[in-house]
């Protein structure tokens, strides 16, 4: 009997549920994916097809392969196994990515919870026991003996379902689905940015190590020169001022080392943190700038594909989508809501009699139409529309910022190549000039001050060349990062 009553109630509720799921259109606007950027280039006027060449390491000319796709592991273009290994470790161990993964998992479960609560009827079972005593006299019954206290046992099953006639629940699920997309793109953006940070830190570490090496080599050479100057002073060949000037130069070169070593320690500690490790217990590779390969063929995807490759743009699109769905939710709140409820059960004074059949059941429908809320619901809809307009503007701004970053990186690479060309020429001239000056000084052809000036020029020119080389590597990484390098779909 219980089964037949339950079947009967389900036969009445299920058609209504299906009607509620299928009937009506969702309120509010439908979200449409925005059009990609219309421009075919990133820079005004003629876009450069490549860069100039320079002497020495990192001076190869670069060619921009317009329309080519960016490799998912774009850092492999630098051809450094050590760099690849460090990035693999960072992508596996970074707490930043662990946090983003947890947020994505949370968003997915929020969607699952809301889907379970709105797409299907809610069924609950309950059992209760209540001790009661009736006062018949209070009910106006006086000719029947008053019964004693008794226990009422109740076992019941209740089913309820809110019909989604105007799509409020569907739009809410759509918004939560967009939130899942946002968290997914947020995770991808964190992954891509982490890889770029490791590359930039490795380049900076390599540059600092090279500059420290130059300073130490020059310090050693200046130390030998100081010894020669002291010998010549003892022999009466130079003045005490020459010895003091050489000593000053030694002190100036020594003063360069502590700031460079401090920066090297900081960037090494940062690499450890990127990998999710404590700085004190992590062995970080020593990167060599000359061992990094400058990518000569640089893929340059079109602006039209930028919006599909950059996860920050995709994330802004997902938030725009969510705002659109929220407009639909606010619009649906203006319309009636219909809820169907049904229950069946057994109420007995003997707990062993529940299996004898159902003796209590009910079916009910509830319609609720907002009439007066002081303008609250319409204000909420206007607020949702304003949030939608804001999200659209944020998306547009994100696209423009992405185009700007690519344009800036392209311009920087062109300038970097020219700068390195000039710095490399200057370093070579300074190196040759210092060699000539040193020989002339040893034979007494020039003054000690002239030799010191040649040494200063050599140190500064080497530092400038290294900085230009490092800038070229870093801006190449920045271009690949700005183009959406490292993109991969996350399930």
């Amino acid at each position: 009997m219980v089964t037949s009553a339950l079947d009967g109630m389900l036969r009445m509720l299920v058609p209504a549920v299906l009607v509620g799921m299928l009937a009506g259109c969702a309120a509010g606007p439908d979200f449409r994916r925005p059009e990609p950027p219309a421009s075919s280039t990133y820079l005004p006027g003629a876009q450069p097809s490549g860069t100039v060449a320079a002497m020495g390491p990192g001076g190869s000319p670069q060619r921009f392969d317009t329309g080519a796709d960016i490799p998912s592991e774009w850092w492999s273009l630098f051809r450094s196994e050590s760099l690849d290994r460090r990035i693999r470790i960072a992508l596996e161990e970074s707490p930043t990515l662990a946090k983003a993964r947890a947020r994505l998992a949370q968003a997915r479960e929020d969607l699952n919870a809301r889907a379970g609560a709105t797409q299907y009827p809610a069924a609950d079972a309950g059992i209760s026991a209540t001790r009661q005593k009736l006062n018949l006299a209070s009910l106006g019954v006086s000719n029947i003996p008053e019964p004693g206290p008794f226990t009422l046992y109740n076992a019941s099953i209740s089913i309820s379902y809110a019909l989604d006639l105007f799509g409020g629940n569907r739009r809410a699920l759509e918004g939560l689905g967009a939130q899942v997309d946002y968290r997914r793109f947020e995770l991808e953006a964190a992954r891509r940015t982490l890889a770029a940070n490791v590359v930039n830190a490795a380049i900076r570490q390599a540059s600092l190590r090279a500059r420290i090496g130059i300073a130490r080599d020059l310090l050693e050479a200046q130390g030998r020169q100081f010894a020669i100057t002291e010998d010549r002073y003892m022999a009466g060949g130079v003045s005490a001022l020459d010895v003091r000037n050489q000593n000053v130069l030694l002190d100036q070169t020594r003063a360069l080392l502590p700031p460079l070593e401090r920066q090297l320690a900081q960037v090494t500690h940062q690499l450890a943190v990127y990998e999710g490790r404590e700085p004190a217990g992590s062995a970080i590779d020593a990167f060599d700038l000359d061992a990094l390969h400058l990518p000569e063929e640089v893929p340059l995807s079109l602006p039209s594909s930028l919006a599909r490759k950059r996860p920050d743009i995709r994330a802004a699109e997902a938030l725009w989508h969510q705002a659109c769905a929220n407009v639909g939710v606010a619009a649906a709140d203006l319309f009636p809501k219909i809820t169907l409820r049904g229950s069946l059960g057994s109420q007995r004074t003997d707990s062993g009699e529940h299996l004898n059949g159902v003796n209590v059941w009910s079916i009910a429908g509830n319609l609720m139409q907002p009439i007066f809320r002081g303008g609250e619901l319409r204000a909420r809809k206007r607020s949702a529309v304003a949030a939608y307009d804001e999200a659209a503007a944020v998306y547009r701004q994100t696209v423009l910022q992405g185009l700007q970053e690519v344009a800036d990186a392209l311009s920087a690479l062109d300038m970097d190549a020219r700068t390195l060309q000039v710095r490399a020429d200057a370093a070579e001239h300074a190196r040759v000039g210092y060699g000539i000056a040193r020989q002339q000084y040893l034979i007494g052809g020039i003054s000690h001050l002239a030799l010191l000036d040649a040494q200063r020029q050599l140190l500064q020119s080497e530092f400038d060349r290294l900085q230009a080389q490092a800038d070229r590597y870093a801006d190449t990484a920045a271009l690949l990062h700005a183009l959406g390098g490292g993109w991969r779909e996350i399930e």
Side-chain angles (χ1 to χ4, degrees):
M1 186 173 179
V2 174
T3 303
S4 62
L6 181 59
D7 290 342
M9 186 173 65
L10 289 176
R11 280 196 297 270
M12 289 183 284
L13 285 176
V14 168
V17 170
L18 294 176
V19 170
M21 295 175 65
L22 300 176
C25 297
D30 291 330
F31 182 76
R32 295 183 179 179
R33 179 167 290 177
E35 294 294 327
S39 56
S40 59
T41 61
Y42 294 97
L43 298 173
Q47 186 166 281
S49 59
T51 66
V52 299
M55 293 191 307
S60 300
Q62 290 179 301
R63 188 177 71 85
F64 303 126
D65 191 359
T66 304
D69 289 332
I70 310 299
S72 61
E73 297 183 353
W74 56 266
W75 48 87
S76 63
L77 297 176
F78 289 94
R79 300 181 189 175
S80 170
E81 176 56 33
S82 178
L83 180 60
D84 294 346
R85 183 173 60 255
R86 299 262 71 90
I87 293 177
R88 284 196 301 269
I89 294 173
L91 295 179
E92 292 172 0
E93 303 296 337
S94 171
T96 300
L97 296 190
K99 178 178 69 175
R101 293 188 191 101
R103 286 178 173 175
L104 174 58
Q106 180 184 5
R108 284 172 171 164
E109 294 308 321
D110 288 343
L111 174 60
N112 293 337
R114 187 62 180 267
T118 58
Q119 290 184 328
Y120 307 100
D124 298 291
I127 298 177
S128 65
T130 306
R131 188 68 173 171
Q132 297 183 1
K133 186 177 186 309
L134 297 178
N135 186 345
L136 297 181
S138 67
L139 300 176
V141 179
S142 59
N143 56 350
I144 298 176
E146 187 170 303
F150 64 94
T151 301
L152 181 64
Y153 299 95
N154 180 38
S156 65
I157 296 177
S158 61
I159 299 176
S160 65
Y161 183 76
L163 300 182
D164 194 22
L165 296 178
F166 299 98
N169 290 335
R170 294 197 295 276
R171 298 312 298 269
L173 290 176
E174 181 184 346
L176 288 173
Q179 179 68 13
V180 171
D181 290 339
Y182 170 73
R183 292 303 187 188
R184 182 162 58 92
F185 297 132
E186 185 182 52
L187 170 58
E188 178 55 31
R191 175 184 176 275
R192 188 175 61 92
T193 301
L194 177 62
N197 287 340
V198 173
V199 172
N200 287 329
I203 292 172
R204 187 158 178 262
Q205 188 217 55
S207 173
L208 288 168
R209 290 184 65 250
R211 294 171 69 183
I212 290 173
I214 290 175
R216 287 174 176 170
D217 289 344
L218 187 56
L219 188 62
E220 183 181 354
Q222 289 172 347
R224 291 194 299 267
Q225 186 64 45
F226 178 72
I228 294 174
T229 304
E230 279 191 321
D231 290 344
R232 294 188 63 187
Y233 169 72
M234 297 299 295
V238 297
S239 66
L241 180 61
D242 291 332
V243 177
R244 185 170 294 276
N245 287 336
Q246 182 67 51
N247 200 1
V248 169
L249 183 60
L250 272 172
D251 291 339
Q252 289 175 343
T253 304
R254 288 193 187 99
L256 292 174
L257 288 173
L260 293 175
E261 291 171 344
R262 174 179 56 82
Q263 295 176 50
L264 178 61
Q266 289 175 341
V267 75
T268 303
H269 299 161
Q270 186 64 69
L271 279 168
V273 172
Y274 286 149
E275 296 178 8
R277 303 182 181 187
E278 298 178 5
S282 179
I284 299 298
D285 296 348
F287 292 97
D288 186 350
L289 196 61
D290 293 341
L292 294 175
H293 170 75
L294 179 71
E296 299 172 5
E297 299 290 330
V298 181
L300 184 63
S301 57
L302 297 174
S304 58
S305 67
L306 188 72
R308 314 313 310 158
K309 292 293 186 182
R310 282 186 58 128
D312 59 334
I313 296 178
R314 297 292 299 275
E317 179 185 331
L319 290 180
W320 188 10
H321 187 180
Q322 185 182 32
C324 178
N326 290 339
V327 174
V329 173
D333 286 342
L334 298 171
F335 296 100
K337 292 179 173 60
I338 299 176
T339 303
L340 301 178
R341 293 185 178 87
S343 67
L344 57 85
S346 173
Q347 288 187 350
R348 309 286 181 176
T349 57
D350 185 349
S351 61
E353 295 180 358
H354 281 304
L355 297 180
N356 291 341
V358 172
N359 60 3
V360 178
W361 63 269
S362 68
I363 295 178
N366 179 56
L367 184 146
M368 192 279 291
Q369 169 62 53
I371 296 177
F372 179 75
R373 296 286 186 87
E376 173 197 358
L377 298 181
R378 294 192 180 278
R380 290 187 182 278
K381 181 181 177 182
R382 291 192 296 270
S383 174
V385 171
Y388 172 84
D389 294 338
E390 178 191 7
V394 169
Y395 173 81
R396 178 61 178 162
Q397 181 63 36
T398 306
V399 172
L400 292 176
Q401 183 176 348
L403 294 172
Q404 177 192 345
E405 289 177 3
V406 175
D408 290 346
L410 276 173
S411 299
L413 277 181
D414 184 45
M415 296 300 104
D416 289 342
R418 298 183 189 182
T419 301
L420 180 59
Q421 186 182 57
V422 174
R423 296 300 188 193
D425 290 345
E428 181 61 25
H429 294 325
R431 188 177 299 108
V432 173
Y434 174 68
I436 295 173
R438 188 170 183 276
Q439 293 297 323
Q440 290 180 339
Y441 173 74
L442 292 176
I443 62 175
I446 61 173
S447 67
H448 189 257
L449 288 177
L451 177 64
L452 296 181
D453 185 61
Q455 289 177 326
R456 291 190 191 96
Q457 291 180 13
L458 174 61
L459 176 63
Q460 189 60 53
S461 63
E462 285 291 348
F463 274 19
D464 291 343
R465 187 199 67 79
L466 275 172
Q467 187 60 55
Q469 181 184 354
D471 288 344
R472 198 176 186 197
Y473 281 89
D475 287 332
T476 300
L479 175 61
L480 296 170
H481 175 64
L483 289 168
W487 168 260
R488 65 184 179 92
E489 289 288 348
I490 299 176
E491 297 298 333

